[in-house]
Amino acid sequence: MLTYTRNARIEWGDCDPAGIVFFPRYFAMFDSCTTALFSQTLGMNKFQLFKRYKFAGYPMVDTRARFLKPCKFGDDVVIETKVVKLGRSSFDIEHRITLDGKLCVEAFDKRVWVDRDPADPDKIRAAPLPRDLIDKFNAA
Amino acid sequence: MLTYTRNARIEWGDCDPAGIVFFPRYFAMFDSCTTALFSQTLGMNKFQLFKRYKFAGYPMVDTRARFLKPCKFGDDVVIETKVVKLGRSSFDIEHRITLDGKLCVEAFDKRVWVDRDPADPDKIRAAPLPRDLIDKFNAA
Amino acid sequence: MLTYTRNARIEWGDCDPAGIVFFPRYFAMFDSCTTALFSQTLGMNKFQLFKRYKFAGYPMVDTRARFLKPCKFGDDVVIETKVVKLGRSSFDIEHRITLDGKLCVEAFDKRVWVDRDPADPDKIRAAPLPRDLIDKFNAA
Amino acid sequence: MLTYTRNARIEWGDCDPAGIVFFPRYFAMFDSCTTALFSQTLGMNKFQLFKRYKFAGYPMVDTRARFLKPCKFGDDVVIETKVVKLGRSSFDIEHRITLDGKLCVEAFDKRVWVDRDPADPDKIRAAPLPRDLIDKFNAA
């Protein structure tokens, strides 16, 4: 399974008055890592991805996260993000954050590939994942 | 079950280049509503709560969210937050965001009440929910 | 001068490990209040504003803020936002946050009204403020 | 003058519906880079800094930023952060963000070193910068 790995230092601004990561920030980290995994696999950044595929994003439809051990500012963590399933118009991603080899957070995402609804461009709707994108993921 | 309800307008700064809420921001809204529910029930803000109970917070240990319908900037949504279970040292919260009566997001949280570990004040550990706090929730 | 006033409670998630507002969050509050001032004056939310005026936003070009007194989570502050100048394609906004009548933060913004460059729709460029928008501000 | 340089990719989650960085996020980047400059100079992360110096942070007291050219998601920018003045209990920092060598944002910060007020530990107050910290900055 395709995996993207990042070393990251927990920021002061990601932490709350208890000195630990304010949990919504973990989801922003995971979003960034999901995009980085796409960029690593496809060889283009997200802006280029939009230009190439004329889509409207891959919004989250379902996510679950378990927080086992708090991380504090200054902690040097490892974030591992992998694709566990590529469906027709959705895909599943998993993330793990470890500190000194110990699991701190794990998360399970389902996202959907969307484009603009021609009948109402303010609306988005599920669309099939591009064939050559799937091919590149399978080949990677 | 105790419920807190908030009317909120979706902010420009909560939205991403697709024009819809960047999903981690929903979790910040839910965190704010959980605190507001505590404040409403106990008659004190979170700072006063810390002063009163000498604890270290109620960090998230498990959360799941489903995103059914995207919200965009300018949308006037309703957020409903309720306590579904008060355990010995943990509690379960549910949130629903609706727009014009239609469900957009639902989330299910488990949080744990923590205090500082006397053996190492840099560490937090689960602690029993204060008796009189439980009494106030039950009486409300 | 047109003024928008908001009562707000400082959120746990806006604060850092020192227990006070992480200063970038003040700018998000100010952005929200600037939009609310426009909405109050023009009778439409930001999405409707985009539909009505076919523009691309009013990005910040210059901001300065002074932080005189820290705010902590649970604090009930007052935010006052006013238009101090409406230029041809830019405008100046000022914000003040007070706690119990004492000034905590003041900020001075210059923003510019932009639209898409027809020669390259990925680019934005300064554009004149719509005449009837200026009229509504002057009449308010 | 001491300088810290970072290569960074602009994140989807840092951008607004216009597709460009929501300006408050620049301040979070600058905060992170200021801390990284301290860590680089002193050889310790911010948590270790707190342990070593028993202080309460270096909150912003005055900041100004000019936004000359918008950055969009996927842009690979360079952030340069330098100390321009170390005073008795305050210090001045400057940041520059460039894209392909062109200046996009510049910012000028004054921060103050604070500790807890022994008369009221909920309050912070200005304190002299530690002598050996100044020495390390001067020697670097």
Side-chain angles (χ1 to χ4, degrees), chain C residues 17-20 22-25 27-28 31 56 59-68 70 111 116 122-124, chain D residues 17-20 22-25 27-28 31 56 59-70 72 111 116 124:
Chain C
I20 61 174
F22 180 55
F23 79 97
R25 312 269 181 257
F27 293 101
D31 187 78
M60 189 66 70
V61 289
D62 198 331
T63 189
R64 187 186 166 199
R66 295 175 63 225
F67 306 92
L68 296 95
R111 287 174 178 264
R116 295 274 156 202
D122 286 336
K123 291 217 165 69
I124 54 176
Chain D
I20 61 174
F22 181 55
F23 80 97
R25 312 269 182 258
F27 293 102
D31 187 77
M60 188 67 70
V61 290
D62 199 331
T63 189
R64 186 184 167 200
R66 294 176 62 226
F67 307 92
L68 296 96
K69 192 176 144 48
K72 63 183 186 308
R111 288 176 177 264
R116 295 275 157 201
I124 54 176

Side-chain angles (χ1 to χ4, degrees), chain B residues 26-117:
Chain B
Y26 283 121
F27 293 101
M29 296 175 204
F30 295 150
D31 187 78
S32 165
C33 288
T34 299
T35 294
L37 188 152
F38 270 73
S39 296
Q40 174 186 272
T41 308
L42 302 173
M44 52 184 112
N45 67 36
K46 196 161 178 175
F47 188 80
Q48 293 165 331
L49 206 64
F50 271 79
K51 288 287 168 194
R52 170 73 182 76
Y53 292 111
K54 313 281 181 208
F55 71 129
Y58 36 68
M60 188 68 69
V61 289
D62 199 330
T63 189
R64 185 183 168 203
R66 294 176 63 225
F67 307 93
L68 296 97
K69 193 177 142 48
C71 297
K72 62 183 190 306
F73 60 98
D75 280 348
D76 291 312
V77 300
V78 178
I79 313 176
E80 279 183 309
T81 293
K82 64 183 174 190
V83 182
V84 291
K85 185 183 164 195
L86 273 186
R88 210 185 80 88
S89 62
S90 71
F91 55 93
D92 296 353
I93 302 278
E94 289 183 10
H95 313 272
R96 288 166 54 89
I97 298 184
T98 54
L99 176 64
D100 298 330
K102 283 180 196 146
L103 183 62
C104 299
V105 185
E106 57 180 353
F108 312 87
D109 302 340
K110 183 178 286 297
R111 290 175 176 263
V112 63
W113 190 268
V114 299
D115 63 11
R116 296 275 157 200
D117 185 344

Side-chain angles (χ1 to χ4, degrees), chain A residues 3-63:
Chain A
T3 302
Y4 167 80
T5 304
R6 174 182 295 177
N7 296 297
R9 176 164 289 184
I10 300 297
E11 301 287 347
W12 172 263
D14 286 331
C15 294
D16 66 18
I20 61 174
V21 174
F22 180 55
F23 80 97
R25 311 269 181 260
Y26 283 122
F27 293 101
M29 297 175 203
F30 295 150
D31 186 78
S32 164
C33 288
T34 298
T35 293
L37 188 152
F38 270 72
S39 296
Q40 172 186 273
T41 307
L42 302 172
M44 52 184 113
N45 67 36
K46 196 162 179 176
F47 187 79
Q48 293 164 332
L49 205 65
F50 272 79
K51 289 287 168 195
R52 171 74 183 78
Y53 293 110
K54 314 281 181 208
F55 70 129
Y58 34 70
M60 188 67 69
V61 288
D62 199 330
T63 189

Side-chain angles (χ1 to χ4, degrees), chain C residues 1-135:
Chain C
M1 278 173 303
L2 269 179
T3 302
Y4 167 80
T5 303
R6 174 182 297 177
N7 296 297
R9 176 164 288 183
I10 300 298
E11 301 288 347
W12 172 262
D14 286 331
C15 294
D16 66 19
I20 61 174
V21 175
F22 180 55
F23 79 97
R25 312 269 181 257
Y26 283 123
F27 293 101
M29 297 176 204
F30 295 150
D31 187 78
S32 164
C33 288
T34 298
T35 293
L37 188 151
F38 270 72
S39 296
Q40 173 186 272
T41 308
L42 302 172
M44 52 184 113
N45 67 36
K46 196 162 179 175
F47 188 79
Q48 294 166 330
L49 206 64
F50 271 80
K51 288 287 168 195
R52 169 74 183 78
Y53 291 112
K54 314 282 181 207
F55 71 129
Y58 35 68
M60 189 66 70
V61 289
D62 198 331
T63 189
R64 187 186 166 199
R66 295 175 63 225
F67 306 92
L68 296 95
K69 193 175 142 50
C71 297
K72 62 183 187 309
F73 60 99
D75 280 348
D76 291 312
V77 299
V78 179
I79 312 177
E80 279 184 309
T81 293
K82 65 184 174 191
V83 181
V84 292
K85 187 183 163 193
L86 272 187
R88 209 184 83 87
S89 62
S90 71
F91 55 93
D92 296 352
I93 302 278
E94 289 183 10
H95 313 272
R96 288 165 55 89
I97 298 184
T98 53
L99 176 65
D100 298 330
K102 282 179 195 147
L103 183 62
C104 299
V105 185
E106 59 181 352
F108 312 88
D109 301 342
K110 182 177 288 298
R111 287 174 178 264
V112 64
W113 191 268
V114 300
D115 62 13
R116 295 274 156 202
D117 185 344
D120 180 356
D122 286 336
K123 291 217 165 69
I124 54 176
R125 56 173 194 180
L129 281 159
R131 187 66 248 169
D132 76 311
L133 181 150
I134 294 177
D135 290 345

